[in-house]
Amino acid sequence: PPELEQTLTLLSSHRSVLGYMLLSRGYPVSIIRHSGVVFEGEQGRKYAQAIGRIVESVQTGLVEVSADPKDADDVRFMRIRTKRHEIMISPDERYLLAVLHDPST
C-alpha cells in the first residue's frame, strides 16, 4: 500500500535509523523487505529470527500472566534499548516491522 511505502521511505531517511526489516509473522520468520547494511545477508537472518523470538516470548508471557488466556493482552509496540542500539518493533497480525536506531545520533 502507498501508506506503507511512504512510512518506510520516511523511516529510511531519518539519520539515526540504521535500517528496518519487514518480516512475516509465520514460522519460520522470513524477511519480506529490508533496508540498511546491518540487515543484509546472514546478519539480517539472525536479526529476523531474534525479533521473531522476542515478540513470541513476550506474547507468551502476556498469556501466562492473564487471568483468562482467551482474554490475554496483545503486544502493540516494543522498544528495546541496548548499549549501542535501540530496536523498535511494531507487530500486527501478519507482519512485524522492526527498526534499528542509533540513539546517540
Side-chain angles (χ1 to χ4, degrees):
E3 303 86 29
L4 177 62
E5 290 297 325
Q6 185 178 11
T7 300
L8 295 176
T9 301
L10 182 63
L11 281 171
S12 297
S13 68
H14 198 280
R15 68 182 178 99
S16 67
V17 171
L18 301 173
Y20 70 81
M21 296 182 92
L22 184 61
L23 308 170
S24 69
R25 186 95 191 241
Y27 181 80
V29 171
S30 61
I31 301 170
I32 297 170
R33 187 169 173 181
H34 78 294
S35 170
V37 295
V38 71
F39 290 139
E40 290 181 358
E42 185 61 28
Q43 186 69 11
R45 286 187 285 282
K46 287 179 182 180
Y47 265 103
Q49 295 304 314
I51 290 165
R53 285 192 311 267
I54 289 167
V55 172
E56 185 64 33
S57 178
V58 170
Q59 188 62 53
T60 300
L62 289 173
V63 169
E64 289 175 359
V65 299
S66 176
D68 180 7
K70 293 178 186 172
D71 194 31
D73 209 354
D74 288 326
V75 177
R76 296 288 180 213
F77 186 80
M78 298 172 63
R79 194 172 191 158
I80 303 167
R81 181 103 182 234
T82 67
K83 287 181 183 180
R84 294 179 297 170
H85 299 116
E86 190 168 48
I87 302 169
M88 295 170 280
I89 305 168
S90 180
D92 85 353
E93 291 177 16
R94 298 183 326 180
Y95 305 104
L96 299 172
L97 175 62
V99 178
L100 187 64
H101 158 50
D102 181 353
S104 65
T105 58

